[in-house]
Structures are given as structure tokens and as C-alpha cells.
Amino acid sequence: MTTPSIAFVGLGAMGAPMAENLVRRQFRVTGFDMRESAREALVAAGGHAAASAKEAAAGAGALVLMVVNAAQARAVLFEGGALEALAPGAIVILMATCPPGEVEAIAAQVAASGRRFVDAPVSGGVVGARAATLSIMVGAPDDSFALARPILDAMGDKVFHVGQSAGQGATVKTVNQLLCGVHIAVAAEALSLAEKAGIDGRVLFEIMGGSAASSWMLKDRGPRMHEAEPPVSSAVDIFVKDLSIVLDAGRAARTALPLAAAAHQMFLAASGLGHGGRDDSQVVRAYRALNAKPANDA
């Protein structure tokens, strides 16, 4: 099972290039996505397409799930019949951002079927997915991790085995999203203050990017905050979801997360203003709306 046939479900902005990178590594990849255009693109890249997740999984040695959330993972695996269609002893690799508790529950059901489960969420966005430079955080027993490793190496160059149990990879990804969401929101907050004071935001971020106040998110998202319609690397609504997962994890662990809560409110506000589908840098629009000059302000 060194190079198993792979079923890949979820050919979105990140999933599509991830599947194509597996094809480039000579894996036989059969993909499914609700969008016909996504299936056709995989075929054009040398992969195969299926009419359903169950069909894609038929006899496969591994199933990669790059879906939106745990509910979709459950729908594919259990209601959709993909789990039972896999080869006996196959590996299920869940790469979506999901609550740790949900991951543990899914893993238990997968194990009960006689298949292996690997909790392997990713970070790195569309750019990392295309370049196969994703960071992958894995929670799985040593033997399952070893079997999944060639598949993971084809999609990321930073593969970390963070623990022996499903849910531990999801926990590390939850912490990652806490930091990312807060960093983006605080960069937008800083820009909002500077703009209110009449300071050129581009100059501000040039200064901050080379100072102790810098962060990767500030340097990456900051310039996009000045664009009217930047390309969507990750949407505002993704952080509405992911920071909700962060706060749920905090409640479960009885851990106070006040900065994550504040950032979540700003992403939620941006979504409520109609910007949920825009690039996550556009959380700045919520700050601009909050700090707009009143109409009767002389």
C-alpha cells in the first residue's frame, strides 16, 4: 500500500491543486466534486473523475477529504457510502478544518469499519496548495502516519506528526487559525486607526512590515486591504467558521479566548455587511464601517 489508488473528494480552490500534485507524483487519483467543471479540470491534469464520492472511493486504498467542514465529511463518509466503498484497511485522511471533538467522533466510526483514520488539517492557503508547500498537522498512530506519509508529502513540504490521536492535528490547526484570525483583524484595526488620522496606509504597512510589529499576515494581507476587489485567497466567511471552532474549543477546555472572540465579531460584522465571500483581508471593511465619519460631523 505504498502507492495506493486515491479517492479525492473536494476539488475546490485548495483541493484541486492538491489533487493535481498527487497526480504529478504518479498516484492514481479519482476525484469527486459537485461541480462538473472541477471534475473535468482533474481529468485534464491526468486524473480521473467519478459521478459520486462513493464511486470515487470504490476499492481505493486511501480517501482524502478536503471538504468544507465536519458535516460534509460525515455526509461523504457515512450517508454517501464512501467509507464502505473503500478497500478493507484503507486510510481516510481528513484535511479540512474541523472541531477536534468532531474529528475524534468521525475517527471512531471509521475505525469501527476496519479502516484507518488520519487527522491531517492543512495551512498555507491556495498558494501553498499549488506549490505543494502546505503545512500539514497530523494526529494519528505511528503506523497510520507512516502509511499516509507518501500521500501527505506530495501535498506539503512541512508535515508534522503532532500526536498519536485523532483530534490532535485539529487542535493544532485550531490554534493556528486563532493566531491567523487575530493577526488579520488587528492589522485591519491598525490600518483603520492610521486612516482615521490621515496616514497613508501603504506607507504604514511598509514601515510596520519591517518593524517588530510585523507578522506574516500583516505583510501578506495588509497590501490587499488597499485593493477594492483583491483575489480571494481565503474568504471572510472561512474565518467566521474557523474562529467559531476556536471559540468552541475554548469553551470545551474552559479556556478564555478574549482576543479570538473580538476578532470573530469583526469577521462576523464584515460578513453581515455582505462581504462574506470576499478575501479575508476585507475584514477591514467592518472597521471602516464602524469608524466612518458621521454624516452630521462638521
Side-chain angles (χ1 to χ4, degrees):
M1 218 166 135
T2 306
T3 55
S5 59
I6 299 171
F8 200 110
V9 177
L11 302 171
M14 290 184 67
M18 290 165 68
E20 290 173 15
N21 282 328
L22 288 167
V23 172
R24 292 189 187 99
R25 290 287 189 97
Q26 305 304 309
F27 288 99
R28 187 184 193 283
V29 180
T30 302
F32 173 71
D33 192 277
M34 294 296 292
R35 295 169 300 120
E36 184 179 358
S37 60
R39 301 195 299 271
E40 291 173 347
L42 178 61
V43 172
H48 306 269
S52 68
K54 182 177 181 179
E55 181 182 311
L63 168 61
V64 177
L65 294 170
M66 193 59 188
V67 292
V68 172
N69 52 32
Q72 284 194 3
R74 284 185 171 280
V76 169
L77 287 168
F78 310 127
E79 292 107 59
L83 179 62
E84 290 303 326
L86 290 168
I91 313 170
V92 174
I93 305 174
L94 179 57
M95 307 192 79
T97 300
C98 301
E102 288 279 352
V103 173
E104 291 178 48
I106 292 170
Q109 287 187 256
V110 170
S113 78
R115 278 86 176 180
R116 298 172 182 268
F117 184 88
V118 173
D119 168 25
V122 303
S123 180
V126 175
V127 172
R130 289 173 178 162
T133 57
L134 293 169
S135 293
I136 305 176
M137 298 143 267
V138 183
D142 288 331
D143 54 353
S144 296
F145 175 61
L147 287 170
R149 186 67 191 258
I151 298 171
L152 301 176
D153 284 340
M155 297 180 284
D157 63 353
K158 296 173 286 294
V159 179
F160 301 97
H161 191 196
V162 302
Q164 296 290 317
S165 303
Q168 290 180 304
T171 297
V172 175
K173 178 60 188 292
T174 297
V175 174
N176 181 83
Q177 295 308 91
L178 186 163
L179 288 164
C180 289
V182 169
H183 284 189
I184 296 170
V186 78
E189 187 167 303
L191 177 60
S192 181
L193 173 59
E195 289 178 337
K196 195 78 170 184
I199 296 167
D200 186 332
R202 291 178 175 81
V203 174
L204 174 81
F205 281 144
E206 183 177 353
I207 296 167
M208 296 299 105
S211 78
S214 184
S215 72
W216 189 92
M217 279 297 188
L218 183 145
K219 289 191 284 188
D220 184 78
R221 299 312 203 261
R224 302 211 296 263
M225 291 179 186
H226 301 292
E227 298 179 32
E229 294 294 342
V232 179
S233 173
S234 175
V236 164
D237 277 344
I238 293 295
F239 272 102
V240 172
K241 171 182 75 77
D242 287 359
L243 287 172
S244 293
I245 292 173
V246 169
L247 296 175
D248 286 344
R251 279 189 288 273
R254 296 188 179 275
T255 302
L257 304 173
L259 297 181
H264 179 253
Q265 288 297 300
M266 296 312 296
F267 280 101
L268 191 61
S271 182
L273 288 167
H275 309 307
R278 288 190 163 95
D279 185 70
D280 56 27
S281 63
Q282 298 309 293
V283 69
V284 72
R285 294 178 184 237
Y287 281 98
R288 286 171 177 155
L290 185 65
N291 294 315
K293 186 177 179 180
N296 61 353
D297 191 341

